Amino acid sequence: MAFKTAKLSLYIYSGTAGVYTSSDLKYRLTKDVIGSQTKAVLEIGELIRDYIDNTFDGSTYQSQSKWVTANVELFNSSGASINDDQSFTYLAVDGYGSFEQGINPDLDNHVLQSNDNVYVLEGQRAQIPVFAESLSNITFYNGSTNIGSQTITDNGNSNQKIQFVSPPANCTSAIFDSTSDRTITINQICESVYTPHDIHFFNKFGALQKITFFKRNDQTITIKDKTFKSNTLDVANENYSISKGQVSRYNVNAKKKITMNTGFVDEAFNEVIEQMLLAEKVWIKYKSQTLAVIPTSKSLKYKTDLNDKLINYAFDFDFAFDSFNLIR
């Protein structure tokens, strides 16, 4: 008899591919074939995403990846097994594809960022996310001088798949070897007037990425409160104190916002800016602390060298908490 029902057991786990236990079973799904169709389609992406919790503590650069094993059992209309069971194992990250890429696109498995130009504060080191499986060696240059190299190793563990390369502080370019070599140019920016701030976010490849806003930044605070009007009459003395106001405040709190400028960047940085605005998790390094922020700029005009000559972006970020600590 023809295929009628698919039963899916979904295991989500860390460690080595294919090595999982019963405690890693996260979902059991059942789907029947509809009408005259011959396929049962099950969407598992959003289910897996619940088990990838990317965070940033301000110092450790890491991006979570998980192994996913989907065991599929097939049954006919009588409920008998078709004996055509299948098993699939995938590596999952919290990334996304664009509409233009079509259904279930394979994301870049090389350098896990869209930009080939990186801007860092003079004396600091870049952090470049890479996919370990497809890389073997990175060569660092200062101008045309080879100043060293780094070998990428991958032991198969899920925590090895996304790694971060930190070129030397005097590195001006790095060549990432693979089937298609890619060169990342590192621009050291000297900023003696403004205090640069780093924004960290998880990009479309599911990797942590940093953008430094080098130029002017402005802060604002928005106060919110409620008021009530009270009777201040001292009945016993048939008087009232003029130092006691009739109107009092309560539920006073505030939200802070910071507006920052990138400084001059190249036209290809448009893609990185877009990914930052689309990110669900964003942090700022601010006064030696790592704080969660929310991009509140909801539109982006893509700037070009032809139209805008020198490209600078300014964006607003809300600090993702109230000024008064209401966590008891």
Side-chain angles (χ1 to χ4, degrees):
M1 298 181 70
F3 159 58
K4 176 63 177 177
T5 303
K7 293 185 178 180
L8 172 69
S9 298
L10 196 63
Y11 296 83
I12 304 172
Y13 52 98
S14 300
T16 305
V19 180
Y20 55 88
T21 66
S22 58
S23 64
D24 297 315
L25 177 61
K26 305 304 181 186
Y27 298 98
R28 290 188 188 274
L29 305 175
T30 301
K31 183 73 175 289
D32 288 340
V33 172
I34 300 175
S36 61
Q37 294 183 5
T38 59
K39 293 182 179 180
V41 179
L42 297 97
E43 167 57 43
I44 62 175
E46 291 300 320
L47 303 178
I48 298 168
R49 194 168 185 244
D50 289 340
Y51 289 88
I52 300 178
D53 183 22
N54 281 315
T55 59
F56 180 53
D57 63 6
S59 59
T60 305
Y61 281 78
Q62 60 183 7
S63 300
Q64 275 198 8
S65 58
K66 297 281 188 178
W67 290 112
V68 178
T69 296
N71 292 333
V72 183
E73 300 174 89
L74 304 179
F75 300 88
N76 61 28
S77 57
S78 298
S81 174
I82 297 179
N83 295 320
D84 192 21
D85 298 347
Q86 301 178 52
S87 182
F88 308 89
T89 296
Y90 310 97
L91 182 71
V93 298
D94 190 8
Y96 60 89
S98 64
F99 179 85
E100 296 90 336
Q101 291 176 286
I103 191 169
N104 293 330
D106 288 329
L107 298 180
D108 193 348
N109 58 358
H110 188 194
V111 178
L112 299 181
Q113 63 180 40
S114 297
N115 52 308
D116 288 335
N117 272 296
V118 175
Y119 301 88
V120 298
L121 186 63
E122 191 174 46
Q124 293 187 358
R125 302 173 68 172
Q127 296 287 343
I128 302 172
V130 299
F131 188 63
E133 283 187 9
S134 64
L135 281 175
S136 57
N137 188 71
I138 303 109
T139 307
F140 306 117
Y141 291 88
N142 182 301
S144 59
T145 303
N146 185 326
I147 57 174
S149 63
Q150 178 180 340
T151 300
I152 298 296
T153 59
D154 173 21
N155 62 13
N157 194 295
S158 57
N159 64 13
Q160 292 287 299
K161 297 304 176 181
I162 297 179
Q163 299 184 27
F164 289 84
V165 175
S166 182
N170 63 335
C171 177
T172 59
S173 66
I175 297 179
F176 294 76
D177 297 335
S178 69
T179 55
S180 177
D181 290 352
R182 185 170 169 188
T183 300
I184 301 296
T185 300
I186 302 171
N187 301 275
Q188 298 277 342
I189 305 299
C190 176
E191 179 51 61
S192 58
V193 177
Y194 298 101
T195 300
H197 292 92
D198 294 334
I199 288 289
H200 293 83
F201 64 98
F202 283 90
N203 63 24
K204 68 177 295 184
F205 307 103
L208 185 67
Q209 188 169 353
K210 179 179 78 170
I211 297 177
T212 301
F213 286 74
F214 292 96
K215 293 302 180 180
R216 173 177 173 174
N217 59 84
D218 299 285
Q219 292 186 62
T220 58
I221 185 170
T222 301
I223 312 298
K224 59 180 180 180
D225 63 7
K226 294 184 179 180
T227 61
F228 67 94
K229 196 171 184 179
S230 60
N231 185 353
T232 60
L233 179 63
D234 182 352
V235 178
N237 295 309
E238 298 179 355
N239 200 354
Y240 62 87
S241 173
I242 62 173
S243 64
K244 290 184 179 180
Q246 286 183 290
V247 178
S248 299
R249 303 173 79 192
Y250 69 103
N251 285 353
V252 181
N253 215 319
K255 296 287 290 269
K256 292 181 180 178
K257 178 175 73 174
I258 185 168
T259 301
M260 300 189 296
N261 288 263
T262 59
F264 297 133
V265 295
D266 71 297
E267 183 177 321
F269 224 65
N270 285 335
E271 176 69 19
V272 184
I273 295 296
E274 176 186 311
Q275 292 174 31
M276 180 198 70
L277 294 178
L278 291 172
E280 293 184 356
K281 296 181 177 180
V282 184
W283 296 267
I284 186 174
K285 294 293 288 291
Y286 181 75
K287 293 183 178 179
S288 302
Q289 292 183 303
T290 301
L291 304 173
V293 291
I294 297 173
T296 54
S297 299
K298 301 303 182 184
S299 64
L300 171 65
K301 176 189 175 184
Y302 296 99
K303 297 185 178 182
T304 66
D305 296 330
L306 177 63
N307 294 337
D308 301 281
K309 309 305 180 188
L310 297 175
I311 299 174
N312 170 75
Y313 283 106
F315 295 106
D316 296 331
F317 298 86
D318 278 351
F319 288 91
F321 49 84
D322 292 326
S323 294
F324 285 2
N325 186 1
L326 300 178
I327 301 175
R328 302 292 190 252

